């Protein structure tokens, strides 16, 4: 896959390879905390963030965390009633 | 708002499924995915938290594009929390940017051990489609949930392809690619969408 920043593709590939190796060979085997990809991730991020700014992407909106917070959408109640306010 | 819930199973181990999850693009079913970037990741109390940015092609129907102008791309933010002890990967995706002014699709997936066959992996998928365009929200939501349901099959096939490439196809026999919907509020959504669209005089996709 390509990066959103055309100039970041090489850094992305290097990082992805590092992450995938770390994830399968270390993290999933219980070695949670040693992270060999930190340095390359930092370089890659600098590049990506610049590209995102140049493309005028909504960084603030993207920064928000939803998963694990109260902002996650909830399943609808099992029996939906006509008066259900969530159904517009 | 329209809600969808579906289930699927992979005849692969949970570790294999989650490893493949992070490497599921590109695949033959992902031609609409243009870019993929990790924005952040960290480990906290054994759990791995990640956030990714995807840009995808925007295949809006003609009536949709009349609501917005701008780049023909959609940005999707995907958050994940992986709990290696509980063997649970939860993902949450949402579209952000200009398209979200007409329609927001939020998707939550949980990859867990299959309760009956522990060497397999279960997927529970939920989705919410919301729109606040006055007078059109019903039609847009109905369109959105229908398109989402259609795309689910393709997404699963793409994922199955990656699993097969990585771990072999011998386990593929009978692998469930059909996501059975158990509950959804968008009954006859397509029909409704057509009716409403016709009423509103907008062109159907």
């Amino acid at each position: 896959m390509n990066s959103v920043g055309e100039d970041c593709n090489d850094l992305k590939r290097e990082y992805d390879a590092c992450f995938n190796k770390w994830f399968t060979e270390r993290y999933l085997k219980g070695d949670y905390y040693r992270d060999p990809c930190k340095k390359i991730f930092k370089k890659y991020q600098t590049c990506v963030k610049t590209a995102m700014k140049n493309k005028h992407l909504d960084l603030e909106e993207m920064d928000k965390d939803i998963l694990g917070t109260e902002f996650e959408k909830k399943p609808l109640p099992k029996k939906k009633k006509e008066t259900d306010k969530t159904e517009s | 708002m329209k809600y969808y819930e579906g289930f699927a199973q992979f005849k692969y181990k949970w570790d294999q499924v989650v490893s493949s999850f992070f490497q599921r693009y590109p695949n033959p079913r992902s031609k609409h995915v243009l870019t993929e970037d990790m924005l952040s990741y960290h480990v906290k109390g054994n759990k791995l938290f990640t956030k990714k940015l995807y840009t995808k092609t925007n295949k809006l129907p003609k009536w949709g594009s009349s609501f917005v102008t701008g780049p023909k791309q959609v940005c999707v933010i995907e958050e994940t929390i992986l709990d290696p002890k509980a063997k649970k990967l939860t993902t949450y995706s949402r579209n952000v940017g200009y398209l979200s002014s007409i329609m927001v699709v939020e998707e939550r997936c949980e990859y867990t051990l299959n309760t009956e066959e522990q060497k397999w992996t279960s997927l529970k998928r939920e989705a919410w489609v919301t729109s606040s365009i006055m007078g059109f929200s019903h039609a847009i939501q109905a369109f959105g949930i229908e398109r989402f349901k259609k795309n689910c099959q393709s997404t699963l096939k793409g994922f199955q392809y990656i699993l097969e490439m990585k771990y072999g196809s011998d386990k593929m026999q009978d692998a469930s690619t059909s996501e059975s919907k158990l509950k959804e509020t968008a009954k006859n959504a397509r029909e409704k969408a057509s009716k409403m669209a016709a009423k509103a005089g907008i062109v159907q996709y």
Side-chain angles (χ1 to χ4, degrees):
Chain A
M1 293 300 296
N2 283 333
S3 166
V4 70
E6 293 83 359
D7 305 336
C8 315
N9 283 333
D10 288 345
L11 286 168
K12 175 192 154 52
R13 273 185 254 288
E14 203 182 325
Y15 169 73
D16 280 355
C18 186
F19 174 85
N20 288 326
K21 195 170 156 57
W22 167 78
F23 181 73
T24 43
E25 291 177 14
R26 291 200 180 175
Y27 179 82
L28 279 183
K29 295 195 168 133
D31 182 2
Y32 301 124
Y33 298 108
R34 259 179 301 162
D35 178 6
C37 312
K38 234 177 202 164
K39 260 190 191 163
I40 178 69
F41 183 68
K42 215 171 177 184
K43 275 194 207 168
Y44 163 47
Q45 274 311 287
T46 311
C47 187
V48 169
K49 292 279 153 67
T50 308
M52 288 167 73
K53 268 181 210 153
N54 290 343
K55 287 176 189 284
H56 307 291
L57 301 188
D58 189 344
L59 298 188
E60 205 180 308
E61 180 61 27
M62 292 179 181
D63 254 0
K64 278 184 200 160
D65 288 331
I66 306 290
L67 181 58
T69 74
E70 57 181 306
F71 301 113
E72 263 187 51
K73 286 271 194 299
K74 298 284 180 293
L76 291 190
K78 292 277 181 220
K79 278 186 183 170
K80 191 176 67 69
K81 289 179 186 144
E82 287 305 312
T83 50
D84 190 348
K85 290 281 191 294
T86 56
E87 179 78 9
S88 62
Chain B
M1 185 182 74
K2 296 289 182 200
Y3 175 69
Y4 168 85
E5 186 178 70
F7 296 86
Q9 66 175 12
F10 300 99
K11 290 191 171 179
Y12 290 89
K13 290 178 190 151
W14 183 83
D15 281 23
Q16 295 176 324
V17 171
V18 297
S19 291
S20 305
F21 174 82
F22 288 111
Q23 301 173 56
R24 69 195 194 279
Y25 298 131
N27 67 58
R29 302 277 180 154
S30 72
K31 294 197 171 73
H32 61 294
V33 184
L34 303 173
T35 68
E36 173 192 39
D37 283 289
M38 183 77 90
L39 295 185
S40 67
Y41 75 106
H42 67 275
V43 176
K44 196 174 164 190
N46 297 352
K47 289 183 186 167
L48 172 66
F49 295 73
T50 71
K51 185 182 276 185
K52 279 190 173 186
L53 163 69
Y54 295 93
T55 60
K56 302 185 177 184
T57 48
N58 167 24
K59 281 190 195 154
L60 265 188
K62 275 183 191 151
W63 57 261
S65 46
S66 65
F67 289 114
V68 286
T69 54
K72 299 291 173 225
Q73 267 175 27
V74 181
C75 292
V76 173
I77 291 288
E78 174 193 87
E79 294 167 71
T80 69
I81 299 177
L82 188 145
D83 186 337
K85 294 276 186 235
K87 293 210 180 288
K88 182 171 163 186
L89 169 68
T90 313
T91 76
Y92 198 94
S93 310
R94 62 196 166 99
N95 61 299
V96 296
Y98 84 102
L99 184 69
S100 57
S101 61
I102 52 167
M103 180 171 84
V104 178
V105 180
E106 283 160 278
E107 180 195 38
R108 189 181 195 280
C109 293
E110 273 181 17
Y111 298 82
T112 51
L113 290 183
N114 187 303
T115 44
E116 281 153 29
E117 192 64 71
Q118 296 254 311
K119 57 181 195 249
W120 295 348
T121 305
S122 293
L123 163 63
K124 177 187 178 188
R125 189 196 303 276
E126 292 174 282
W128 298 262
V129 179
T130 48
S131 170
S132 51
I133 298 270
M134 283 281 264
F136 293 96
S137 63
H138 273 84
I140 291 170
Q141 286 167 175
F143 162 78
I145 202 85
E146 276 303 301
R147 186 169 70 170
F148 179 84
K149 283 175 358 194
K150 223 197 265 170
N151 291 345
C152 281
Q153 293 302 317
S154 188
T155 305
L156 278 176
K157 281 182 185 153
F159 201 165
Q160 293 275 12
Y161 174 86
I162 295 292
L163 284 162
E164 192 176 343
M165 287 294 112
K166 277 170 71 94
Y167 304 109
S169 59
D170 52 330
K171 295 168 185 163
M172 285 293 290
Q173 46 185 346
D174 303 319
S176 164
T177 51
S178 64
E179 192 162 335
S180 58
K181 63 181 178 186
L182 288 194
K183 187 171 60 178
E184 50 152 317
T185 59
K187 259 191 184 167
N188 306 320
R190 186 189 298 276
E191 219 174 87
K192 252 195 209 165
S194 316
K195 270 189 211 156
M196 299 201 64
K199 235 190 241 174
I202 49 182
V203 185
Q204 273 290 289
Y205 179 47

